[in-house]
Amino acid sequence: MIKLKKYTALTLCALTLTATPISALADEYDQKIADQDKKISELQQTEQSAEDQKAEVEEQVAAVEKEVNDVLKEKTNEEKKMSDLTAKIGVLQEKIKKREEQIRNQARDVQTNHDSASIVDVVINSKSLGEAVKKTMAVSTILTASKNIMEQQTKDKAELEKLEKEAEQRLAVINKKTEELKAKQDQLVQTKLDQQVKINEIQASIATEKGQKEKYEKQKEDAEKKRQEALKALEEQRKKEEEARSKAQAEAEKQAKKAAEEAQKAAEEAEKQAAEAETAKQKQEAEIAQLEAQQQEQQAKQQQEQAQTVTDISASQVTTNPTAPAATESKPAVNSSGWASPLSIGLVVTSPFGPRQDPTGASGTQHDGIDFAGSAGTPILASKGGKVVEAGFHWSAGNHVIIQHSDGYYSYYMHMVSAPSVGVGSDVSAGQVLGGMGTTGNSTGVHLHFGVSTALWSGFVNPAPLLGI
């Protein structure tokens, strides 16, 4: 019985020594997985907070967009008033010009036909009292009419000066509204970018931590599989040892029946020898089992290092996007298309023809022309001769001109600083001044939007090849 107890104790000790390193490794992975769960939970809470902030930001963006639209409407109203005021000034200038011509004609008539048009001369040179009365009344009438005309001329000039001052004030309001529009638009774009970057960073962090958790779970699964295989092998070894022990017990009982006296002595000797043999054998088996556990642990560590190496290599392959190209300057080359530069200065392209992000969000993502840079008032020229089919103010194009050409094309000149200098129906030649560069309509800065189409307000084509740029 003593022998059996010692054998059982040694077997349990071997099992314990073998299973302990593997169990400890499994516990280590459990702790790592729990740590990853905690990180993921914290990031998910942060993500939810970011989503809440995103909703708040979207409300702010909507408010900013409304402010941008309001500013654009105010700017459009001021520009319409400015256009009307410019037309009114033109009418008043024409009226003053005609009245001055009338005054000069009347003065010339008085000098020609009434060299001595004083009342005294009229009375002295009259042949009768009736003739004197008639001539006196005629002279008085002429003088009174001239006086009234001069008074009206003075009033109109004062009104003209008042309108011109009002026009300057309107222009200042337009410029102020334009700056407000640009500031609001910059704020809108920056808010959207900040919002998207923050959400992307949080989502990337969550994906990274989830990937790390999956790696630990896979390593734990592999370690658990190896642990079960080791336990299975130990269980088989235990069964073999149990069978050997049963056979030894049966043999001992058989020998005890043969000789009672020799049985005790043989049993003591056998017990001593068995104890020594079992101790050496189980020590050797324990050392073998421990070595196998250490090898399994080393393999798990190597797998972890290999997985980490793959992760590091994948991370090193991330690249960044190149920066967008800046605005380019070009000059129209000599070509046989018959199109000339629409500006008297060098052409600086700030926005080419084609898809783009609309600065104000009011005109879509397709840019139907080319934007050229310049300063306020820079003369805008007809790129090619033709007939003016549209000239005036438009909420998006601002003060603009559209010319129809004999080859079927239409050319567009938009965002002029004031009303065009040509009217609908006018025949214009290449190089003729149409107006000055400005920022009226759907615009955030002084520039010329130059467009070419095959039909009125449709069928737009890229003007660059026609201009040779």
Side-chain angles (χ1 to χ4, degrees):
M1 294 301 296
I2 297 175
K3 176 181 176 182
L4 292 176
K5 290 181 180 179
K6 288 184 178 182
Y7 200 95
T8 302
L10 289 173
T11 303
L12 292 175
C13 181
L15 289 171
T16 303
L17 290 174
T18 305
T20 298
I22 300 177
S23 299
L25 185 60
D27 292 340
E28 180 181 351
Y29 283 127
D30 286 338
Q31 183 60 46
K32 289 182 178 180
I33 292 171
D35 292 341
Q36 289 302 118
D37 285 335
K38 183 178 180 182
K39 289 181 181 179
I40 293 171
S41 177
E42 292 174 352
L43 285 172
Q44 287 174 339
Q45 291 177 0
T46 304
E47 182 184 21
Q48 183 59 45
S49 176
E51 291 292 342
D52 295 339
Q53 293 177 5
K54 177 181 176 183
E56 296 177 1
V57 170
E58 287 177 348
E59 293 179 359
Q60 295 174 4
V61 168
V64 171
E65 288 177 343
K66 184 178 182 302
E67 292 180 13
V68 169
N69 292 332
D70 292 343
V71 171
L72 183 59
K73 289 180 181 177
E74 292 179 12
K75 180 174 177 286
T76 302
N77 292 335
E78 292 298 334
E79 289 170 348
K80 184 64 172 63
K81 292 177 183 178
M82 181 67 179
S83 183
D84 295 342
L85 192 57
T86 302
K88 189 174 181 181
I89 289 174
V91 172
L92 191 56
Q93 287 176 337
E94 184 65 23
K95 186 186 294 184
I96 291 173
K97 179 180 177 182
K98 290 181 179 180
R99 191 180 289 117
E100 287 179 347
E101 183 66 25
Q102 182 180 357
I103 292 173
R104 284 196 295 270
N105 291 337
Q106 288 180 353
R108 191 182 302 111
D109 183 62
V110 171
Q111 290 176 357
T112 302
N113 301 321
H114 304 284
D115 295 335
S116 302
S118 67
I119 296 177
V120 176
D121 291 338
V122 169
V123 173
I124 293 175
N125 295 327
S126 298
K127 296 178 180 181
S128 63
L129 180 60
E131 183 181 354
V133 171
K134 290 180 180 179
K135 290 183 176 180
T136 300
M137 292 178 64
V139 171
S140 297
T141 300
I142 291 173
L143 293 174
T144 300
S146 298
K147 181 181 179 182
N148 292 337
I149 290 173
M150 291 301 294
E151 289 177 353
Q152 186 61 42
Q153 186 75 343
T154 301
K155 290 181 180 179
D156 287 347
K157 286 184 176 181
E159 178 67 14
L160 176 60
E161 182 179 358
K162 177 182 177 182
L163 291 177
E164 288 176 343
K165 289 183 178 179
E166 185 178 350
E168 292 177 359
Q169 294 174 352
R170 293 288 185 190
L171 183 58
V173 171
I174 289 173
N175 291 334
K176 180 180 179 181
K177 295 299 180 184
T178 301
E179 291 300 323
E180 291 179 359
L181 176 61
K182 188 174 184 301
K184 293 294 183 183
Q185 190 62 31
D186 291 343
Q187 179 184 354
L188 174 62
V189 173
Q190 188 60 46
T191 302
K192 287 183 177 179
L193 290 176
D194 292 344
Q195 168 192 338
Q196 191 59 43
V197 168
K198 185 173 182 179
I199 296 299
N200 288 345
E201 288 178 350
I202 295 174
Q203 291 175 345
S205 297
I206 291 176
T208 300
E209 297 301 337
K210 284 184 177 180
Q212 188 71 10
K213 176 185 175 182
E214 291 175 356
K215 184 186 73 173
Y216 288 146
E217 288 177 339
K218 181 64 169 59
Q219 292 175 351
K220 177 188 175 182
E221 181 181 349
D222 294 340
E224 180 63 24
K225 182 178 179 181
K226 291 179 179 180
R227 187 177 76 88
Q228 293 297 331
E229 291 175 352
L231 290 176
K232 182 178 179 181
L234 290 174
E235 180 64 21
E236 291 176 353
Q237 181 65 26
R238 187 191 66 79
K239 289 181 178 179
K240 291 179 180 180
E241 292 173 352
E242 183 67 25
E243 291 175 356
R245 186 181 58 179
S246 297
K247 289 180 180 180
Q249 182 179 5
E251 183 65 22
E253 291 177 351
K254 184 179 180 180
Q255 292 177 357
K257 291 179 180 179
K258 289 182 178 180
E261 293 179 356
E262 296 180 356
Q264 182 65 34
K265 183 178 180 180
E268 291 176 357
E269 186 65 24
E271 182 179 357
K272 180 180 179 181
Q273 293 177 357
E276 292 176 355
E278 288 172 357
T279 300
K281 181 180 178 181
Q282 290 187 5
K283 181 179 180 182
Q284 182 180 7
E285 291 173 348
E287 290 175 351
I288 293 173
Q290 186 175 7
L291 180 59
E292 289 177 350
Q294 290 175 352
Q295 289 176 348
Q296 291 172 358
E297 182 179 5
Q298 184 64 27
Q299 290 174 357
K301 289 182 179 180
Q302 289 177 352
Q303 291 174 354
Q304 183 179 0
E305 290 173 355
Q306 291 173 356
Q308 183 63 40
T309 302
V310 173
T311 302
D312 294 340
I313 293 174
S314 299
S316 66
Q317 294 174 347
V318 178
T319 59
T320 57
N321 292 326
T323 57
T328 59
E329 178 175 351
S330 60
K331 296 183 179 179
V334 177
N335 58 74
S336 59
S337 65
W339 294 81
S341 171
L343 295 175
S344 58
I345 59 176
L347 298 181
V348 177
V349 179
T350 59
S351 183
F353 178 90
R356 71 166 185 180
Q357 181 66 38
D358 181 38
T360 64
S363 299
T365 58
Q366 174 64 25
H367 192 217
D368 292 330
I370 298 178
D371 289 347
F372 296 117
S375 57
T378 299
I380 298 174
L381 314 177
S383 182
K384 194 174 184 180
K387 183 180 290 293
V388 178
V389 295
E390 191 169 316
F393 181 83
H394 183 270
W395 71 267
S396 180
N399 292 313
H400 68 289
V401 172
I402 303 177
I403 302 175
Q404 183 179 13
H405 306 287
S406 59
D407 56 3
Y409 282 113
Y410 292 79
S411 58
Y412 299 73
Y413 310 81
M414 300 182 183
H415 310 304
M416 295 181 179
V417 68
S418 59
S421 58
V422 295
V424 176
S426 301
D427 290 323
V428 297
S429 57
Q432 182 173 340
V433 177
L434 306 178
M437 188 181 291
T439 180
T440 58
N442 183 20
S443 169
T444 58
V446 175
H447 72 287
L448 166 64
H449 174 99
F450 178 76
V452 176
S453 70
T454 57
L456 188 61
W457 289 110
S458 65
F460 288 94
V461 299
N462 188 0
L466 298 176
L467 295 178
I469 59 175

